[in-house]
Amino acid sequence: MEKQLIISVGREYGSGGHEIAEKLSKHYKIPLLDHNLLDEIAAEKNMDMEHWKELDEKHKNRLSSRTVRGYSSSPEENLYQMQFQYLKNRALSGDSFVIVGRCSETILKEFDSLVTIFVLGDIDKKVERIMRLYELSKNQAVKKIREKDWKRRRYHNSFCTGKWGASRNYDISINSSKLGVDGTVEMLIDYIDRRRIE
Amino acid sequence: MLAQVFAVIIFIAMFVFIVTEIVERHIVSLICAVLTIIFVFGVGMHSMAAVIETMNLKSIFTAEFWYLSGESGSSSAGINWETILFIFGMMVMVEGMARVGFFRWLCMRIAKLVKYQVIPLFITFMVLSTILAMFIDSITVILFLAAVTIELSQLLKFNPVPMILSEIFCANLGGSATMCGDPPNIIIGTSLGYSFTDFVTNTGVIVAVSLVAVLLYFYLIFKKELKPNVSQPIDYGSLPSPESTITDKKGFVISSIIFAVAIVLLVTHAQTGLTVSAIGTIVAIATLATSWKYAILLLKKVDYKTLLFFIGLFVVIGGLEQTGILEIMAAFIGKISGGNVMVMVAIIIWLSAIASAFVDNIPFATTMIPIIKSLSVTYGVDLSMLAWTLAMGTDIGGSATPIGASANVVGIATAAREGYVIKWGKYCKKMMPATVMVVLISMLIIYVRYL
């Protein structure tokens, strides 16, 4: 049986982190979990999860929610818990997968098969990428990057003790602007393969 | 003056930290209690007597703590050990009942009695939620009812959210009917010396009238949503039988007897003289002695964080009381009502309801008790009427928002864990009108009956 491999990819918006995760998933022939995580949970529970989609990767609002004996009224926290449980069960079942964001580097910390990566990028390269992908002006791209990263930081930091993007929180933090997406993927594959030999 | 400033700052800080949940609420209240002892009683008042009075330890060693030969009430100043001990005892008993499958059995039994028909199930579960919450905490009631509702909804193909929302409302409503139903009522009862019967014959009557209106209201707004999905066949054979939910038959019988004894003791405590602290102790000892094999497990399951939260809270409120802040607040309410009892009742019930919709109703009710006492003395208003007004406002107001009461949070989270999202908008749209309706009914009954 193939040795279990779980790759967690945290990413700055515009860094190409998602594309890198896709390429790693293809290379190792293991499923990629990102926005489709909710579809997977919906299939498992045999129900429609459309209402949850707008809450995906959203932070918990402390003022409009309350916790009682470990139960929370926050829909965001409940979704986080559902994803947490799903990922944990999937990891416990021995499955290999690549998971993008969703606090996975913290949630799956206990698994030896976990490799945690954070992909960052230079602001000019990230702006260039977002302008190209979404046909935006420079100002619009800068605004979008700021907003997305702010949301991701708030989401991550409201559920995890470790800070989003802080190097101590990940096995490897890499600036994709230096080697490009493909170069970064090659380097990460080398790193992951060495880790798997250990 | 310095002590008053300290007391107010600590009280406000405690509320802010409880609402924001940066730190768990029992830690907040205990830290604030220590700060109250140091800064309010020590630096501000230089009074060791105030510390001793607030700790209230000597009350435990008096005969009145366990047995009352006549009508009397304990002081509201300081830690209300009677409340702490009673809640502890009930928690042990409820854990014992949960272990043997009592609540799941009860829900399944009722579901079977109504032949698994959705609308009768909807009505009976609301009534069950109300009745159970009269005797045990609403968190436990909703924990089991919501779980069974979801299980049945998956088998009977209906949307469980309307039923869960109605059960939450009824759990909060039922809690207001008795002295032991909701923590504010236990605190009001033990602080002001009211019995179980006093509550049932006053708030209980209001609840009975309100329940009829609530059943009708939820039926009318939810009847369409509760229609089962007839396109999918229902497999009645997969429904669990009530008997299969019992995990320990002997334990089940014993737990049921202990529960029945607890109800009898509570109903008759004004006649027997047994205080709620004595009743709590009796049921806890009976539960632990009869399930001694699981005693450690049951004791571990007790929600000590809530008990610690209460202890800290009583000290902080004690600080406000000892420094006369609550008398100032009472004078303010008296002034704006112009001494008019009807206005006073309206202010207390609506203020309590609105505040409880957004903040924990336990600190609010605890703060309000000395205030209504002061209003009663100053304006010659019947204290019991103000107590029922406060109880209804704090207990019912909590239903209005997802964060108003513990049952709401547990119900929403239980539904969410199974994939059913209940957001603020949906929750408030259905629950706020019901809350306003019951607060109005309560106010009108109080006006008609007592004024």
Side-chain angles (χ1 to χ4, degrees), chain B residues 92-113:
Chain B
V92 173
M93 182 190 76
V94 166
E95 287 304 333
M97 291 164 76
R99 184 190 69 78
V100 297
F102 179 88
F103 299 108
R104 220 169 111 71
W105 168 83
L106 189 60
C107 297
M108 288 301 180
R109 183 83 229 155
I110 285 172
K112 198 178 175 185
L113 274 175

PDB file of all heavy atoms in Angstrom, chain B residues 92-113:
ATOM      1  N   VAL B  92     -25.654  16.346  38.241  1.00  0.00           N
ATOM      2  CA  VAL B  92     -25.285  14.944  38.474  1.00  0.00           C
ATOM      3  C   VAL B  92     -26.460  14.047  38.091  1.00  0.00           C
ATOM      4  O   VAL B  92     -26.295  13.044  37.385  1.00  0.00           O
ATOM      5  CB  VAL B  92     -24.868  14.722  39.950  1.00  0.00           C
ATOM      6  CG1 VAL B  92     -24.659  13.240  40.234  1.00  0.00           C
ATOM      7  CG2 VAL B  92     -23.602  15.504  40.290  1.00  0.00           C
ATOM      8  N   MET B  93     -27.664  14.431  38.528  1.00  0.00           N
ATOM      9  CA  MET B  93     -28.851  13.609  38.237  1.00  0.00           C
ATOM     10  C   MET B  93     -29.098  13.514  36.723  1.00  0.00           C
ATOM     11  O   MET B  93     -29.331  12.421  36.186  1.00  0.00           O
ATOM     12  CB  MET B  93     -30.089  14.221  38.916  1.00  0.00           C
ATOM     13  CG  MET B  93     -31.346  13.407  38.709  1.00  0.00           C
ATOM     14  SD  MET B  93     -32.830  14.282  39.250  1.00  0.00           S
ATOM     15  CE  MET B  93     -33.053  15.454  37.924  1.00  0.00           C
ATOM     16  N   VAL B  94     -28.994  14.641  36.046  1.00  0.00           N
ATOM     17  CA  VAL B  94     -29.246  14.667  34.599  1.00  0.00           C
ATOM     18  C   VAL B  94     -28.196  13.821  33.857  1.00  0.00           C
ATOM     19  O   VAL B  94     -28.531  13.098  32.922  1.00  0.00           O
ATOM     20  CB  VAL B  94     -29.262  16.132  34.089  1.00  0.00           C
ATOM     21  CG1 VAL B  94     -29.169  16.187  32.576  1.00  0.00           C
ATOM     22  CG2 VAL B  94     -30.535  16.826  34.560  1.00  0.00           C
ATOM     23  N   GLU B  95     -26.943  13.892  34.300  1.00  0.00           N
ATOM     24  CA  GLU B  95     -25.903  13.072  33.661  1.00  0.00           C
ATOM     25  C   GLU B  95     -26.217  11.581  33.850  1.00  0.00           C
ATOM     26  O   GLU B  95     -26.006  10.777  32.956  1.00  0.00           O
ATOM     27  CB  GLU B  95     -24.520  13.400  34.236  1.00  0.00           C
ATOM     28  CG  GLU B  95     -23.946  14.737  33.788  1.00  0.00           C
ATOM     29  CD  GLU B  95     -23.858  14.909  32.282  1.00  0.00           C
ATOM     30  OE1 GLU B  95     -23.741  13.901  31.562  1.00  0.00           O
ATOM     31  OE2 GLU B  95     -23.934  16.055  31.812  1.00  0.00           O
ATOM     32  N   GLY B  96     -26.728  11.251  35.054  1.00  0.00           N
ATOM     33  CA  GLY B  96     -27.110   9.865  35.329  1.00  0.00           C
ATOM     34  C   GLY B  96     -28.238   9.419  34.407  1.00  0.00           C
ATOM     35  O   GLY B  96     -28.221   8.310  33.864  1.00  0.00           O
ATOM     36  N   MET B  97     -29.204  10.305  34.186  1.00  0.00           N
ATOM     37  CA  MET B  97     -30.335   9.983  33.303  1.00  0.00           C
ATOM     38  C   MET B  97     -29.873   9.854  31.853  1.00  0.00           C
ATOM     39  O   MET B  97     -30.336   8.986  31.114  1.00  0.00           O
ATOM     40  CB  MET B  97     -31.412  11.077  33.402  1.00  0.00           C
ATOM     41  CG  MET B  97     -32.117  11.100  34.753  1.00  0.00           C
ATOM     42  SD  MET B  97     -33.012  12.637  35.003  1.00  0.00           S
ATOM     43  CE  MET B  97     -34.420  12.373  33.966  1.00  0.00           C
ATOM     44  N   ALA B  98     -28.972  10.714  31.451  1.00  0.00           N
ATOM     45  CA  ALA B  98     -28.473  10.678  30.067  1.00  0.00           C
ATOM     46  C   ALA B  98     -27.697   9.389  29.818  1.00  0.00           C
ATOM     47  O   ALA B  98     -27.805   8.779  28.755  1.00  0.00           O
ATOM     48  CB  ALA B  98     -27.591  11.893  29.803  1.00  0.00           C
ATOM     49  N   ARG B  99     -26.929   8.956  30.828  1.00  0.00           N
ATOM     50  CA  ARG B  99     -26.097   7.748  30.669  1.00  0.00           C
ATOM     51  C   ARG B  99     -26.938   6.512  30.338  1.00  0.00           C
ATOM     52  O   ARG B  99     -26.551   5.692  29.511  1.00  0.00           O
ATOM     53  CB  ARG B  99     -25.289   7.491  31.960  1.00  0.00           C
ATOM     54  CG  ARG B  99     -24.327   6.334  31.868  1.00  0.00           C
ATOM     55  CD  ARG B  99     -23.736   5.967  33.211  1.00  0.00           C
ATOM     56  NE  ARG B  99     -24.696   5.370  34.129  1.00  0.00           N
ATOM     57  CZ  ARG B  99     -25.104   4.113  34.081  1.00  0.00           C
ATOM     58  NH1 ARG B  99     -24.619   3.293  33.181  1.00  0.00           N
ATOM     59  NH2 ARG B  99     -26.003   3.641  34.943  1.00  0.00           N
ATOM     60  N   VAL B 100     -28.110   6.425  30.958  1.00  0.00           N
ATOM     61  CA  VAL B 100     -28.928   5.223  30.741  1.00  0.00           C
ATOM     62  C   VAL B 100     -29.869   5.350  29.533  1.00  0.00           C
ATOM     63  O   VAL B 100     -30.604   4.428  29.214  1.00  0.00           O
ATOM     64  CB  VAL B 100     -29.756   4.875  32.008  1.00  0.00           C
ATOM     65  CG1 VAL B 100     -28.840   4.534  33.167  1.00  0.00           C
ATOM     66  CG2 VAL B 100     -30.696   6.030  32.379  1.00  0.00           C
ATOM     67  N   GLY B 101     -29.857   6.504  28.879  1.00  0.00           N
ATOM     68  CA  GLY B 101     -30.665   6.685  27.666  1.00  0.00           C
ATOM     69  C   GLY B 101     -32.068   7.200  27.918  1.00  0.00           C
ATOM     70  O   GLY B 101     -32.938   7.069  27.057  1.00  0.00           O
ATOM     71  N   PHE B 102     -32.286   7.795  29.093  1.00  0.00           N
ATOM     72  CA  PHE B 102     -33.638   8.240  29.462  1.00  0.00           C
ATOM     73  C   PHE B 102     -34.234   9.220  28.448  1.00  0.00           C
ATOM     74  O   PHE B 102     -35.367   9.050  27.998  1.00  0.00           O
ATOM     75  CB  PHE B 102     -33.612   8.884  30.862  1.00  0.00           C
ATOM     76  CG  PHE B 102     -34.958   9.402  31.311  1.00  0.00           C
ATOM     77  CD1 PHE B 102     -35.847   8.571  31.973  1.00  0.00           C
ATOM     78  CD2 PHE B 102     -35.345  10.711  31.052  1.00  0.00           C
ATOM     79  CE1 PHE B 102     -37.092   9.037  32.366  1.00  0.00           C
ATOM     80  CE2 PHE B 102     -36.591  11.184  31.443  1.00  0.00           C
ATOM     81  CZ  PHE B 102     -37.461  10.344  32.103  1.00  0.00           C
ATOM     82  N   PHE B 103     -33.464  10.253  28.091  1.00  0.00           N
ATOM     83  CA  PHE B 103     -34.028  11.312  27.241  1.00  0.00           C
ATOM     84  C   PHE B 103     -34.322  10.824  25.831  1.00  0.00           C
ATOM     85  O   PHE B 103     -35.337  11.163  25.240  1.00  0.00           O
ATOM     86  CB  PHE B 103     -33.089  12.525  27.223  1.00  0.00           C
ATOM     87  CG  PHE B 103     -32.900  13.117  28.582  1.00  0.00           C
ATOM     88  CD1 PHE B 103     -31.693  12.978  29.260  1.00  0.00           C
ATOM     89  CD2 PHE B 103     -33.933  13.780  29.213  1.00  0.00           C
ATOM     90  CE1 PHE B 103     -31.522  13.498  30.525  1.00  0.00           C
ATOM     91  CE2 PHE B 103     -33.777  14.305  30.487  1.00  0.00           C
ATOM     92  CZ  PHE B 103     -32.567  14.158  31.145  1.00  0.00           C
ATOM     93  N   ARG B 104     -33.422  10.024  25.295  1.00  0.00           N
ATOM     94  CA  ARG B 104     -33.627   9.482  23.944  1.00  0.00           C
ATOM     95  C   ARG B 104     -34.854   8.555  23.935  1.00  0.00           C
ATOM     96  O   ARG B 104     -35.664   8.579  23.032  1.00  0.00           O
ATOM     97  CB  ARG B 104     -32.372   8.707  23.510  1.00  0.00           C
ATOM     98  CG  ARG B 104     -32.035   8.942  22.070  1.00  0.00           C
ATOM     99  CD  ARG B 104     -30.658   8.393  21.763  1.00  0.00           C
ATOM    100  NE  ARG B 104     -30.730   7.222  20.900  1.00  0.00           N
ATOM    101  CZ  ARG B 104     -31.071   7.254  19.623  1.00  0.00           C
ATOM    102  NH1 ARG B 104     -31.378   8.393  19.053  1.00  0.00           N
ATOM    103  NH2 ARG B 104     -31.112   6.162  18.899  1.00  0.00           N
ATOM    104  N   TRP B 105     -34.969   7.768  25.021  1.00  0.00           N
ATOM    105  CA  TRP B 105     -36.116   6.870  25.141  1.00  0.00           C
ATOM    106  C   TRP B 105     -37.419   7.673  25.154  1.00  0.00           C
ATOM    107  O   TRP B 105     -38.370   7.349  24.455  1.00  0.00           O
ATOM    108  CB  TRP B 105     -35.989   6.029  26.426  1.00  0.00           C
ATOM    109  CG  TRP B 105     -37.263   5.294  26.754  1.00  0.00           C
ATOM    110  CD1 TRP B 105     -37.667   4.101  26.244  1.00  0.00           C
ATOM    111  CD2 TRP B 105     -38.314   5.730  27.632  1.00  0.00           C
ATOM    112  NE1 TRP B 105     -38.895   3.761  26.751  1.00  0.00           N
ATOM    113  CE2 TRP B 105     -39.317   4.745  27.606  1.00  0.00           C
ATOM    114  CE3 TRP B 105     -38.489   6.856  28.434  1.00  0.00           C
ATOM    115  CZ2 TRP B 105     -40.486   4.853  28.355  1.00  0.00           C
ATOM    116  CZ3 TRP B 105     -39.656   6.971  29.179  1.00  0.00           C
ATOM    117  CH2 TRP B 105     -40.629   5.977  29.136  1.00  0.00           C
ATOM    118  N   LEU B 106     -37.427   8.741  25.964  1.00  0.00           N
ATOM    119  CA  LEU B 106     -38.630   9.563  26.099  1.00  0.00           C
ATOM    120  C   LEU B 106     -39.037  10.158  24.747  1.00  0.00           C
ATOM    121  O   LEU B 106     -40.215  10.123  24.369  1.00  0.00           O
ATOM    122  CB  LEU B 106     -38.365  10.688  27.119  1.00  0.00           C
ATOM    123  CG  LEU B 106     -39.560  11.525  27.561  1.00  0.00           C
ATOM    124  CD1 LEU B 106     -40.623  10.666  28.223  1.00  0.00           C
ATOM    125  CD2 LEU B 106     -39.121  12.628  28.515  1.00  0.00           C
ATOM    126  N   CYS B 107     -38.069  10.691  24.003  1.00  0.00           N
ATOM    127  CA  CYS B 107     -38.353  11.294  22.695  1.00  0.00           C
ATOM    128  C   CYS B 107     -38.891  10.235  21.735  1.00  0.00           C
ATOM    129  O   CYS B 107     -39.884  10.458  21.039  1.00  0.00           O
ATOM    130  CB  CYS B 107     -37.092  11.921  22.097  1.00  0.00           C
ATOM    131  SG  CYS B 107     -36.436  13.263  23.080  1.00  0.00           S
ATOM    132  N   MET B 108     -38.236   9.067  21.710  1.00  0.00           N
ATOM    133  CA  MET B 108     -38.647   8.010  20.777  1.00  0.00           C
ATOM    134  C   MET B 108     -40.021   7.436  21.149  1.00  0.00           C
ATOM    135  O   MET B 108     -40.810   7.074  20.299  1.00  0.00           O
ATOM    136  CB  MET B 108     -37.599   6.891  20.740  1.00  0.00           C
ATOM    137  CG  MET B 108     -36.330   7.283  20.029  1.00  0.00           C
ATOM    138  SD  MET B 108     -36.671   7.772  18.314  1.00  0.00           S
ATOM    139  CE  MET B 108     -35.042   8.174  17.744  1.00  0.00           C
ATOM    140  N   ARG B 109     -40.257   7.358  22.459  1.00  0.00           N
ATOM    141  CA  ARG B 109     -41.543   6.851  22.954  1.00  0.00           C
ATOM    142  C   ARG B 109     -42.678   7.759  22.444  1.00  0.00           C
ATOM    143  O   ARG B 109     -43.697   7.298  21.950  1.00  0.00           O
ATOM    144  CB  ARG B 109     -41.488   6.853  24.490  1.00  0.00           C
ATOM    145  CG  ARG B 109     -42.671   6.307  25.216  1.00  0.00           C
ATOM    146  CD  ARG B 109     -42.626   4.809  25.322  1.00  0.00           C
ATOM    147  NE  ARG B 109     -43.917   4.277  24.895  1.00  0.00           N
ATOM    148  CZ  ARG B 109     -44.129   3.076  24.407  1.00  0.00           C
ATOM    149  NH1 ARG B 109     -43.117   2.248  24.247  1.00  0.00           N
ATOM    150  NH2 ARG B 109     -45.313   2.682  24.071  1.00  0.00           N
ATOM    151  N   ILE B 110     -42.457   9.070  22.591  1.00  0.00           N
ATOM    152  CA  ILE B 110     -43.481  10.031  22.167  1.00  0.00           C
ATOM    153  C   ILE B 110     -43.655   9.994  20.647  1.00  0.00           C
ATOM    154  O   ILE B 110     -44.776  10.034  20.144  1.00  0.00           O
ATOM    155  CB  ILE B 110     -43.135  11.446  22.690  1.00  0.00           C
ATOM    156  CG1 ILE B 110     -43.442  11.459  24.190  1.00  0.00           C
ATOM    157  CG2 ILE B 110     -43.904  12.542  21.963  1.00  0.00           C
ATOM    158  CD1 ILE B 110     -43.007  12.654  24.927  1.00  0.00           C
ATOM    159  N   ALA B 111     -42.546   9.877  19.931  1.00  0.00           N
ATOM    160  CA  ALA B 111     -42.613   9.808  18.460  1.00  0.00           C
ATOM    161  C   ALA B 111     -43.457   8.605  18.037  1.00  0.00           C
ATOM    162  O   ALA B 111     -44.266   8.686  17.120  1.00  0.00           O
ATOM    163  CB  ALA B 111     -41.211   9.721  17.879  1.00  0.00           C
ATOM    164  N   LYS B 112     -43.257   7.492  18.749  1.00  0.00           N
ATOM    165  CA  LYS B 112     -44.012   6.281  18.422  1.00  0.00           C
ATOM    166  C   LYS B 112     -45.496   6.472  18.765  1.00  0.00           C
ATOM    167  O   LYS B 112     -46.370   6.032  18.017  1.00  0.00           O
ATOM    168  CB  LYS B 112     -43.430   5.082  19.195  1.00  0.00           C
ATOM    169  CG  LYS B 112     -43.857   3.751  18.608  1.00  0.00           C
ATOM    170  CD  LYS B 112     -43.235   2.589  19.344  1.00  0.00           C
ATOM    171  CE  LYS B 112     -43.795   1.285  18.789  1.00  0.00           C
ATOM    172  NZ  LYS B 112     -43.314   0.144  19.549  1.00  0.00           N
ATOM    173  N   LEU B 113     -45.755   7.115  19.905  1.00  0.00           N
ATOM    174  CA  LEU B 113     -47.138   7.360  20.336  1.00  0.00           C
ATOM    175  C   LEU B 113     -47.927   8.144  19.291  1.00  0.00           C
ATOM    176  O   LEU B 113     -49.120   7.916  19.110  1.00  0.00           O
ATOM    177  CB  LEU B 113     -47.151   8.118  21.665  1.00  0.00           C
ATOM    178  CG  LEU B 113     -47.056   7.285  22.937  1.00  0.00           C
ATOM    179  CD1 LEU B 113     -46.957   8.188  24.154  1.00  0.00           C
ATOM    180  CD2 LEU B 113     -48.267   6.362  23.070  1.00  0.00           C
TER     181      LEU B 113
END
